Amino acid sequence: MPLHFEEAAANLLTNAALDPISKTPEYKACGVRLEKIMQPA
């Protein structure tokens, strides 16, 4: 998924933290939790 633009869907999944000096968003460094979803038989 593209993450280079603020309006990209991947950015909705990341945190809103900014670098304190450059004010660059931390789109590439955030914790995640994955859960397996069982498909119906």
Side-chain angles (χ1 to χ4, degrees):
M1 293 178 74
L3 55 88
H4 302 289
F5 304 102
E6 183 177 351
E7 63 275 2
N11 297 337
L12 299 175
L13 305 174
T14 61
N15 61 29
L18 297 176
D19 177 83
I21 297 171
S22 68
K23 307 298 184 215
T24 303
E26 265 190 11
Y27 292 146
K28 296 181 182 179
C30 67
V32 297
R33 182 181 68 189
L34 301 176
E35 295 181 23
K36 185 176 183 176
I37 298 174
M38 300 299 293
Q39 294 182 342

